[in-house]
PDB file of all heavy atoms in Angstrom:
ATOM      1  N   GLU A  53      -8.147   5.126  18.594  1.00 91.00           N
ATOM      2  CA  GLU A  53      -8.502   6.553  18.584  1.00 91.00           C
ATOM      3  C   GLU A  53      -8.027   7.241  17.248  1.00 91.00           C
ATOM      4  O   GLU A  53      -7.081   6.716  16.667  1.00 91.00           O
ATOM      5  CB  GLU A  53      -7.958   7.278  19.831  1.00 91.00           C
ATOM      6  CG  GLU A  53      -6.403   7.321  19.994  1.00 91.00           C
ATOM      7  CD  GLU A  53      -6.080   7.922  21.266  1.00 91.00           C
ATOM      8  OE1 GLU A  53      -6.917   8.090  22.244  1.00 91.00           O
ATOM      9  OE2 GLU A  53      -4.964   8.527  21.341  1.00 91.00           O
ATOM     10  N   ILE A  54      -8.647   8.273  16.979  1.00 93.00           N
ATOM     11  CA  ILE A  54      -8.234   9.031  15.796  1.00 93.00           C
ATOM     12  C   ILE A  54      -6.875   9.677  15.962  1.00 93.00           C
ATOM     13  O   ILE A  54      -6.586  10.372  17.000  1.00 93.00           O
ATOM     14  CB  ILE A  54      -9.224  10.133  15.377  1.00 93.00           C
ATOM     15  CG1 ILE A  54     -10.591   9.483  14.917  1.00 93.00           C
ATOM     16  CG2 ILE A  54      -8.768  11.078  14.395  1.00 93.00           C
ATOM     17  CD1 ILE A  54     -11.683  10.273  14.809  1.00 93.00           C
ATOM     18  N   SER A  55      -5.975   9.468  15.016  1.00 88.00           N
ATOM     19  CA  SER A  55      -4.666  10.011  15.055  1.00 88.00           C
ATOM     20  C   SER A  55      -4.594  11.422  14.335  1.00 88.00           C
ATOM     21  O   SER A  55      -4.105  12.423  14.877  1.00 88.00           O
ATOM     22  CB  SER A  55      -3.659   9.096  14.327  1.00 88.00           C
ATOM     23  OG  SER A  55      -3.622   7.857  14.935  1.00 88.00           O
ATOM     24  N   GLU A  56      -5.256  11.433  13.214  1.00 88.00           N
ATOM     25  CA  GLU A  56      -5.274  12.681  12.415  1.00 88.00           C
ATOM     26  C   GLU A  56      -6.511  12.687  11.661  1.00 88.00           C
ATOM     27  O   GLU A  56      -7.074  11.553  11.277  1.00 88.00           O
ATOM     28  CB  GLU A  56      -4.123  12.823  11.452  1.00 88.00           C
ATOM     29  CG  GLU A  56      -2.841  13.262  12.135  1.00 88.00           C
ATOM     30  CD  GLU A  56      -1.836  13.705  11.182  1.00 88.00           C
ATOM     31  OE1 GLU A  56      -2.166  14.662  10.391  1.00 88.00           O
ATOM     32  OE2 GLU A  56      -0.712  13.261  11.114  1.00 88.00           O
ATOM     33  N   LYS A  57      -7.082  13.798  11.359  1.00 92.00           N
ATOM     34  CA  LYS A  57      -8.274  13.885  10.462  1.00 92.00           C
ATOM     35  C   LYS A  57      -8.130  15.203   9.615  1.00 92.00           C
ATOM     36  O   LYS A  57      -7.458  16.183  10.035  1.00 92.00           O
ATOM     37  CB  LYS A  57      -9.495  13.890  11.294  1.00 92.00           C
ATOM     38  CG  LYS A  57      -9.713  15.068  12.322  1.00 92.00           C
ATOM     39  CD  LYS A  57     -10.986  14.896  13.053  1.00 92.00           C
ATOM     40  CE  LYS A  57     -11.103  16.034  14.054  1.00 92.00           C
ATOM     41  NZ  LYS A  57     -12.439  15.971  14.803  1.00 92.00           N
ATOM     42  N   SER A  58      -8.751  15.122   8.498  1.00 92.00           N
ATOM     43  CA  SER A  58      -8.754  16.306   7.601  1.00 92.00           C
ATOM     44  C   SER A  58      -9.960  17.154   7.863  1.00 92.00           C
ATOM     45  O   SER A  58     -10.935  16.823   8.655  1.00 92.00           O
ATOM     46  CB  SER A  58      -8.709  15.761   6.213  1.00 92.00           C
ATOM     47  OG  SER A  58      -9.931  15.329   5.812  1.00 92.00           O
ATOM     48  N   GLU A  59      -9.937  18.293   7.158  1.00 91.00           N
ATOM     49  CA  GLU A  59     -11.125  19.186   7.272  1.00 91.00           C
ATOM     50  C   GLU A  59     -12.380  18.579   6.780  1.00 91.00           C
ATOM     51  O   GLU A  59     -13.444  18.979   7.115  1.00 91.00           O
ATOM     52  CB  GLU A  59     -10.806  20.494   6.459  1.00 91.00           C
ATOM     53  CG  GLU A  59      -9.737  21.308   7.089  1.00 91.00           C
ATOM     54  CD  GLU A  59      -9.322  22.514   6.222  1.00 91.00           C
ATOM     55  OE1 GLU A  59      -9.932  22.670   5.149  1.00 91.00           O
ATOM     56  OE2 GLU A  59      -8.589  23.390   6.648  1.00 91.00           O
ATOM     57  N   ILE A  60     -12.165  17.660   5.898  1.00 93.00           N
ATOM     58  CA  ILE A  60     -13.476  16.952   5.343  1.00 93.00           C
ATOM     59  C   ILE A  60     -14.113  16.139   6.422  1.00 93.00           C
ATOM     60  O   ILE A  60     -15.333  15.988   6.458  1.00 93.00           O
ATOM     61  CB  ILE A  60     -12.990  16.045   4.190  1.00 93.00           C
ATOM     62  CG1 ILE A  60     -12.315  16.743   3.109  1.00 93.00           C
ATOM     63  CG2 ILE A  60     -14.267  15.241   3.582  1.00 93.00           C
ATOM     64  CD1 ILE A  60     -11.626  15.779   2.167  1.00 93.00           C
ATOM     65  N   PHE A  61     -13.411  15.603   7.310  1.00 95.00           N
ATOM     66  CA  PHE A  61     -13.921  14.764   8.375  1.00 95.00           C
ATOM     67  C   PHE A  61     -14.583  15.634   9.507  1.00 95.00           C
ATOM     68  O   PHE A  61     -13.948  15.849  10.502  1.00 95.00           O
ATOM     69  CB  PHE A  61     -12.684  13.881   8.985  1.00 95.00           C
ATOM     70  CG  PHE A  61     -13.253  12.672   9.687  1.00 95.00           C
ATOM     71  CD1 PHE A  61     -13.519  11.479   9.134  1.00 95.00           C
ATOM     72  CD2 PHE A  61     -13.395  12.732  11.111  1.00 95.00           C
ATOM     73  CE1 PHE A  61     -13.887  10.391   9.868  1.00 95.00           C
ATOM     74  CE2 PHE A  61     -13.721  11.677  11.848  1.00 95.00           C
ATOM     75  CZ  PHE A  61     -14.006  10.495  11.238  1.00 95.00           C
ATOM     76  N   ASP A  62     -15.738  16.066   9.191  1.00 93.00           N
ATOM     77  CA  ASP A  62     -16.453  16.880  10.202  1.00 93.00           C
ATOM     78  C   ASP A  62     -17.303  16.002  11.116  1.00 93.00           C
ATOM     79  O   ASP A  62     -17.176  14.783  11.087  1.00 93.00           O
ATOM     80  CB  ASP A  62     -17.289  17.906   9.453  1.00 93.00           C
ATOM     81  CG  ASP A  62     -18.338  17.433   8.492  1.00 93.00           C
ATOM     82  OD1 ASP A  62     -18.775  16.177   8.738  1.00 93.00           O
ATOM     83  OD2 ASP A  62     -18.773  18.147   7.604  1.00 93.00           O
TER      84      ASP A  62
END
Side-chain angles (χ1 to χ4, degrees):
Chain A
E53 59 182 29
I54 291 173
S55 305
E56 284 197 52
K57 60 182 181 178
S58 71
E59 292 177 352
I60 302 168
F61 196 87
D62 61 22

